[in-house]
Amino acid sequence: MSSSSAHSSSSSARTSPLGLPGDSVADGAARHPLAPYGWDADLAAAFAPYVGSGLVPGRVVRVDRGQCDVVTATGTVRADTAFVTPHDPLRVICTGDWAVVDPEGGNPRYVRDLLPRRTAFVRSTSSQRSEGQILAANVDHAIIAVSLAVELDLGRIERFLALAWESGAQPLVVLTKADLVPDATALSYLVQDVETTAPGVQVLPVSSLTGEGTDVLAAVVSGGTSVLLGVSGAGKSTLANTLLGADAMAVQSTRDVDGKGRHTTTTRNLLVLPGGGVLIDTPGLRGVGLFDAGAGVGQVFSEIEDLAADCRFHDCAHESEPGCAVLAALADGSLPERRLDSYRKLVRENQRIVAKTDARLRAEIRRDWKRKHAEGRAAGEAKRGGRVR
């Protein structure tokens, strides 16, 4: 038998993740009890080094005070996270992670390792600090819930979108409580406003009360893992219950005065959807700080990035430079001033966060500030007829 034939024979004889002879890895992954939670051939390959050790794979469905709930092939177990609590906050275990867990019989059982993450949704813990907080891992769709019960905050939507694009997930903006806008024309204008703010992103008006848009949303989330994001009162828990077809998440009413909620959800929970896919529901976010999201900001403001490519200077700051295509678009009205202001704000914020941990970037920002200061001083002196004060 040739070496190639031997290799082929050996490959076909490999057992699947379920240990069924003759199954391919892909077939075995599809038949695995964790398949409803997203288990696939790539994860089976990542877990291969642990096969034979007695350790078992599982997906983290909840994390709470140094312990987590992990769903395994034989059921959900409580596991200690002491061995996966590094100093780097971005490597801390979180909902959505795929874990390597002690076999049955241990008391307590420990998470021994984490399989590599495909995506991670990260925000800054505070505008005054440079630490990131990971909110969800291995997410395919980032659903940004925005309530129509209050005035649209387009700037906040742009922040969520920047983080979503940076995470590697595909964002989707869901306008909840659409039944509160019964006029179809008014609703279409609101959708259009958000679509302008979210280029390349689907914007879907949804009502859990009437069922509007819920079938489309269910179809989107049926494949892969989705994370539900938004501020308190955005209707996330109600939307989660609608997708689940059951009152799995507690729901509280919002305040009439400002439409804000009361943080119904206090932990991040991973739930299997009846139509396929899994959903991670998250607590309402008070702050949406950027964290090293330069590429995400560029994606959100893609029309400005495209214009910038036609500026005369490659390092154009779009402030007063000659030949600036961005300022030209602003002048002729094709670029709204609000969009440019928001773009500048998020770029500056992201630079500050990155600069706190990047000495080279800090030096570049300092040099740029000195250059602009010198140019401003020179312009002032020119206006005074060259007199130096």
Side-chain angles (χ1 to χ4, degrees):
M1 179 183 294
S2 67
S3 59
S4 61
S5 298
H7 176 74
S8 174
S9 175
S10 173
S11 299
S12 63
R14 285 184 304 167
T15 58
S16 73
L18 280 178
L20 301 177
D23 271 2
S24 68
V25 173
D27 289 339
R31 296 175 56 175
H32 197 282
L34 289 176
Y37 288 87
W39 184 263
D40 59 19
D42 290 338
L43 289 166
F47 184 75
Y50 304 97
V51 173
S53 66
L55 298 172
V56 297
R59 193 159 197 192
V60 178
V61 297
R62 186 172 181 269
V63 179
D64 181 33
R65 299 179 182 177
Q67 292 192 317
C68 62
D69 294 333
V70 183
V71 60
T72 69
T74 56
T76 302
V77 302
R78 190 73 167 164
D80 196 293
T81 64
F83 292 105
V84 286
T85 307
H87 294 296
D88 183 354
L90 297 185
R91 298 180 61 194
V92 172
I93 192 169
C94 78
T95 303
D97 269 322
W98 285 95
V100 181
V101 188
D102 283 338
E104 292 186 43
N107 187 20
R109 293 174 74 172
Y110 288 92
V111 175
R112 297 292 174 173
D113 204 354
L114 298 178
L115 298 184
R117 289 169 176 161
R118 297 172 178 174
T119 61
F121 194 98
V122 181
R123 69 163 178 174
S124 175
T125 55
S126 166
S127 60
Q128 305 302 317
R129 301 168 63 184
S130 57
E131 291 183 355
Q133 177 191 23
I134 180 167
L135 300 181
N138 301 305
V139 172
D140 302 294
H141 307 285
I143 304 171
I144 302 165
V146 180
S147 173
L148 290 177
V150 295
E151 185 176 353
L152 290 176
D153 187 337
L154 299 179
R156 180 181 284 128
I157 294 174
E158 288 163 345
R159 285 176 171 275
F160 272 113
L161 288 170
L163 294 178
W165 282 122
E166 192 70 32
S167 75
Q170 172 66 45
L172 166 67
V173 178
V174 173
L175 302 180
T176 65
K177 308 179 185 181
D179 52 280
L180 297 180
V181 188
D183 183 82
T185 301
L187 181 59
S188 68
Y189 285 143
L190 291 171
V191 171
Q192 187 177 20
D193 286 344
V194 178
E195 287 176 338
T196 302
T197 300
V201 176
Q202 183 179 5
V203 179
L204 181 64
V206 167
S207 170
S208 296
L209 182 65
T210 66
E212 178 185 357
T214 56
D215 55 341
V216 178
L217 180 59
V220 171
V221 302
S222 64
T225 298
S226 303
V227 62
L228 194 52
L229 303 155
V231 300
S232 296
K236 298 187 303 301
S237 295
T238 301
L239 192 59
N241 286 337
T242 299
L243 292 171
L244 288 163
D247 292 337
M249 308 303 296
V251 177
Q252 293 183 0
S253 61
T254 57
R255 297 198 299 255
D256 291 336
V257 65
D258 56 10
K260 292 184 179 179
R262 302 170 182 164
H263 295 282
T264 301
T265 303
T266 57
T267 59
R268 291 178 282 278
N269 304 282
L270 187 146
L271 309 158
V272 176
L273 298 172
V278 294
L279 179 71
I280 300 176
D281 190 22
T282 64
L285 300 176
R286 289 189 178 92
V288 195
L290 301 185
F291 185 81
D292 197 6
V297 172
Q299 185 78 29
V300 175
F301 297 93
S302 57
E303 80 277 28
I304 297 179
E305 298 274 303
D306 290 342
L307 287 168
D310 293 328
C311 290
R312 181 182 300 177
F313 304 108
H314 75 278
D315 58 348
C316 184
H318 321 307
E319 293 179 352
S320 59
E321 296 86 348
C324 175
V326 173
L327 294 180
L330 186 67
D332 66 24
S334 59
L335 175 64
E337 186 173 359
R338 191 207 68 81
R339 283 285 282 176
L340 182 57
D341 288 343
S342 185
Y343 172 73
R344 287 168 171 164
K345 181 179 181 179
L346 294 187
V347 167
R348 287 195 301 268
E349 178 183 325
N350 193 66
Q351 285 179 336
R352 285 197 301 270
I353 290 294
V354 175
K356 290 178 180 178
T357 55
D358 189 329
R360 179 186 58 81
L361 182 59
R362 280 199 303 272
E364 289 181 359
I365 292 174
R366 191 176 297 112
R367 284 195 299 269
D368 186 56
W369 180 86
K370 288 181 177 179
R371 175 181 63 79
K372 291 179 179 178
H373 179 71
E375 290 175 352
R377 183 178 179 183
E381 291 173 354
K383 288 182 179 180
R384 295 191 297 270
R387 297 192 306 273
V388 179
R389 300 182 63 182

